[in-house]
Amino acid sequence: MSEVKNILFIMADQLRADYLSCYGHPHLKTPNIDALAARGVRFTRAYVQAPVCGPSRMSFYTGRYVSSHGSTYNGVPLRIGEMTIGDHLRPLGMRVALVGKTHMTEDRKGMQRLGVTRDTIEGVFAAECGFEPYERDDGLWPDEVNPRDLAYNRYLREQGYNVDNPWHEFANAGRGADGKILSGWLMRNARLPAAVKEEHSETAYMTDRAMDFIAEAGDTPWCLHLSYIKPHWPYIAPAPYHDMYGPGDVLPANRTEAERENAHPVVAAFMEHEESQNFARDNVREAVIPAYMGLIRQLDDHLGRLFAFLDERGLTENTMIVFTSDHGDYLGDHWLGEKELFHEESVRIPLIVCDPDSRADGTRGSVNGRLVEAIDLAPTFIEAMGGEVPEHILEGRSLLGLTRGERREWRNAAVSECDYAFRRARQELDRTPGNARAWMLRTERWKYVEYDGFRPQLFDLENDPREHNDLGDDPDYQPIREEMHERLFDWMRSRRMRVTISDEEVEQRTDTHKKRGFLFGVW
Amino acid sequence: MSEVKNILFIMADQLRADYLSCYGHPHLKTPNIDALAARGVRFTRAYVQAPVCGPSRMSFYTGRYVSSHGSTYNGVPLRIGEMTIGDHLRPLGMRVALVGKTHMTEDRKGMQRLGVTRDTIEGVFAAECGFEPYERDDGLWPDEVNPRDLAYNRYLREQGYNVDNPWHEFANAGRGADGKILSGWLMRNARLPAAVKEEHSETAYMTDRAMDFIAEAGDTPWCLHLSYIKPHWPYIAPAPYHDMYGPGDVLPANRTEAERENAHPVVAAFMEHEESQNFARDNVREAVIPAYMGLIRQLDDHLGRLFAFLDERGLTENTMIVFTSDHGDYLGDHWLGEKELFHEESVRIPLIVCDPDSRADGTRGSVNGRLVEAIDLAPTFIEAMGGEVPEHILEGRSLLGLTRGERREWRNAAVSECDYAFRRARQELDRTPGNARAWMLRTERWKYVEYDGFRPQLFDLENDPREHNDLGDDPDYQPIREEMHERLFDWMRSRRMRVTISDEEVEQRTDTHKKRGFLFGVW
């Protein structure tokens, strides 16, 4: 195989690491993703920098921790001036495009202050997180957000779904016996087939659009972020995927009574959220999880179609393909629904990197247990394209040392952050918008979580991989907690904030004041 | 007195707190600054956020700690998008202008990336730290930086100083017996009168320019940052200020032999710098300090002229006047020259706030010992103009509660930061550009300094106000150091990074997903 010319950066939304057959799911079959893993490296300890869409993605795209880029939750604009993959890769001669979701909220006030508008190409990049928005679609379009002009809605209307909001009425709804619209927003409808035909569903459409882009891009090197909206809720799949799996395929929830009884205060408050209360019920899990699995299986089938398309065009051999997700989904584990907190079901993601370079031949099909992070992709892409990684900005590390079997120093902890200011739990716990935060430090053995205003949590992942026993207030583990606390402080003081000057420039300027005519301190 | 209409924000450069008569200097007379203090509040424990021009000023202007704004040293561009006083005050209807120095380095790459240029007013503000550059002059113009078109140089040429760089040859040089140019860059020439006439010197000129601005501004509310270049080096004063003070007015250096013998490694490396080595010599102090004092006395005289100008125009009663400095000057104390480290001589500044509002009448002439910080001015100005302080961005606290004698909660520690990556000390100590940092936490009693890679320092300011005894490795003080270390961590995790959304907006959006149509977790 040859050097990397293109990058296909595929992201699923809310896909747990363990819901792929190559990651060990006993019932779900994902042969195309498995085949990708067989050609690449499969990372088993990959962590997001925040287990929520928006901040996690901003970390993927900026290569920076959430504390550094500041977009701590969905809807928090990414501050103007934060550089993203696009800003780093475009100068290397690539077209950097998006098909699907980013969850980017533009910093409108910042743009106004600087006189930056969408009338300029720079303004579009600033507003779209550095991507050329070939097809931007964040995938959640209730009538309240007025999605009439959404490209996907126009497409659906062209296919004959003649309503104002076909996403809402067809892609995201089934039908009752009487033809009544039964919304995918309600989990009770998860087992219904979506009213949209499979070939018109979002996953199919976005795959088509990715192929459109690739065909159109021709010989120009490209980085395409193909960012699927599924298997994120609403949990409803088109036929035949809606009943490909059934309650018998649902694994027992990973939870113990003790976890609920002795829950950490913040976790306990999350257990009170509606999604957690509902996922605590077996009938909810039995309705939702098969649909979730169906959506994953559908995604895998379309990836098969896409990979065949690359093969036909001879692109497989020069395209780096990455498959990952922005966070997991509790699905009732630990008495929780959704994500946001730091159990493995939420914070750990699938990550497969297929590096076409021949130097990676020795690692194909291998499994790598290093602690890797979402922020590692940005530097990986830059290095793959022959660029210099600006380490005064990027906080991740290129994975190419791992895909190419080189000896490079590696980190000994992964960090993830949570800002639950926007959630009811924050109000229940009487926290202010500014102090509802938590930080996870995950080492080879330990997972330590520190909270604003509450005791920490500690799990021994070696002896308790399912995270049932919180050692956060066990006196025997005080020394471990202290060590983790210090390591977290070390991490925090190492954030890259001096982003406007490189270390090389600092080195070149050190002690040069006299050369520049500034003779201070001279007698 | 009436409400605040204008703000005159005066900054001296490198002026130590204790080099004013109102701050207790026994020989130096500063009657006009003293008179301002008699009309306002004089703060005795005011600290800069970095004892170096650039980062200190960026903290004054942004209202944010150095770790937050990221411009950690002179010449490190302030990242595009950081908001400054100008951005906050202009929407309140003020003209926000600069006369003098900011030490701003524009983020050229960031501007290019966003398509922002100096052809637009937004671009000028972005490049000039949010100020209208009525007269921008950073005041150090060796031939190497080619200052031919500098407005002050043009002015000097108009006055008959007909050379290419009159700043260099006249404002910053004396003459030898043979007429030879003797540069102010060399401290051996500090006792000479500058070759420029006093009325043409920088301090006089900048005062004139401030009056030009005020006359021109008319009835529009304004905030003028009058930012003097002196008494910063080069240490050379025009007649008659050059010999108004003599060696007999020089106070003994604040230093002990033990300090030099047992110096902390970083402090020891700074002691090796040329400026420290020179200031360790009495003949250097005796040459330089009288010139330094003369420059301060000159500044005071011109402030008298400016204050009279305000009086004549009836502006005293509606103008808030602040007098401060960007950091101090070791002048040989603790065997050090210049600034950068955290002894009081370097990190403490004079700060006088004269609030014309009648609610401040009860505090006029008072002395306030609260721990205040440079970042407190931005919120002070916003509150004075009736604005809402955006606490998700600004990290300082308005001083109006103190000037108006209101009960408000106050901080119990001041923090300052040091990035010595650009200094030779960093190379001598074998540190990388990214880990040559230090943080000071100063509480009522303690001054604690933490370093990357070295033991901390600790001073008991109650019992050792002159900072002779570093308790940083004394086992008896381990509990104090641990407490300070934890407080520093608390401070660090409280940096405002979620700058694009206010706490009120967070509160309004909390738990509103259903109203917005996003029905997750619903059965």
Side-chain angles (χ1 to χ4, degrees), chain B residues 114-131:
Chain B
L114 294 168
V116 175
T117 71
R118 279 182 183 258
D119 297 340
T120 65
I121 185 73
E122 293 92 346
V124 172
F125 288 139
E128 291 291 354
C129 206
F131 292 107

Side-chain angles (χ1 to χ4, degrees), chain A residues 182-194:
Chain A
L182 296 176
S183 174
W185 286 114
L186 304 180
M187 294 194 292
R188 66 175 70 237
N189 298 324
R191 299 302 315 274
L192 295 174

Side-chain angles (χ1 to χ4, degrees), chain A residues 64 66-72 74-83 87 107 109 112-116 120 122-123 126 140-142 144-145 185-189 233 274-275 278-279 281 283-284 287-288 338 340 419 421-424 426-427 431 433-434 437 439 450-453 485-486 488-489 492-495 497-501 503-507 509-523, chain B residues 64 66-72 74-83 87 107 109 112-116 120 122-123 126 140-142 144-145 185-189 233 274-275 278-279 281 283-284 287-288 338 340 419 421-424 426-427 431-434 437 439 450-453 485-486 488-489 492-495 497-501 503-507 509-523:
Chain A
R64 290 160 59 75
V66 176
S67 282
S68 303
H69 64 63
S71 178
T72 63
N74 298 335
V76 176
L78 184 69
R79 62 184 290 178
I80 189 97
E82 272 292 319
M83 289 181 76
D87 298 314
D107 180 4
K109 288 180 200 161
Q112 279 172 0
R113 207 164 53 237
L114 294 167
V116 175
T120 65
E122 294 91 346
L140 296 171
W141 304 109
E144 286 85 342
V145 298
W185 286 114
L186 304 180
M187 294 194 292
R188 66 175 70 237
N189 298 324
W233 48 258
E274 183 172 14
E275 66 274 14
N278 278 329
F279 269 108
R281 290 158 45 197
N283 66 321
V284 173
V288 168
E338 278 278 277
E340 307 208 21
D419 176 7
F422 294 83
R423 298 306 309 281
R424 187 151 51 102
R426 195 258 302 166
Q427 295 173 324
R431 308 297 297 169
R437 294 164 310 161
W439 297 264
E450 192 153 307
Y451 291 88
D452 274 337
H485 174 78
E486 278 305 304
L488 194 62
F489 191 1
M492 202 168 280
R493 59 204 270 175
S494 306
R495 292 310 88 247
M497 300 315 296
R498 193 181 64 195
V499 293
T500 54
I501 193 165
D503 284 5
E504 291 68 31
E505 288 172 282
V506 174
E507 199 68 77
R509 282 197 47 181
T510 300
D511 200 28
T512 60
H513 54 279
K514 283 189 198 169
K515 273 184 231 162
R516 293 180 285 123
F518 301 97
L519 304 183
F520 65 79
V522 180
W523 175 249
Chain B
R64 289 158 60 73
V66 176
S67 282
S68 303
H69 63 63
S71 177
T72 63
N74 298 335
V76 176
L78 183 69
R79 61 184 291 179
I80 189 98
E82 271 293 319
M83 289 181 76
D87 298 313
D107 179 4
K109 287 180 199 161
Q112 279 172 1
R113 207 164 55 239
L114 294 168
V116 175
T120 65
E122 293 92 346
L140 296 172
W141 303 110
E144 286 84 343
V145 298
W185 286 114
L186 304 180
M187 294 193 292
R188 66 175 70 237
N189 298 324
W233 47 258
E274 183 172 13
E275 66 275 13
N278 278 329
F279 269 108
R281 291 158 44 196
N283 66 322
V284 174
V288 169
E338 278 277 277
E340 307 208 21
D419 176 6
F422 295 83
R423 298 307 309 279
R424 186 152 51 101
R426 195 257 304 166
Q427 296 173 325
R431 308 296 298 169
T432 65
R437 294 164 310 160
W439 297 264
E450 192 152 308
Y451 291 88
D452 273 338
H485 175 78
E486 279 304 305
L488 194 62
F489 191 178
M492 202 168 279
R493 57 204 270 176
S494 306
R495 293 309 89 245
M497 300 314 296
R498 194 180 64 193
V499 293
T500 54
I501 193 165
D503 284 5
E504 290 68 32
E505 288 172 283
V506 174
E507 198 68 76
R509 283 197 46 182
T510 300
D511 200 28
T512 59
H513 54 281
K514 283 189 196 168
K515 271 184 231 163
R516 293 181 285 121
F518 302 96
L519 305 183
F520 65 79
V522 180
W523 174 249

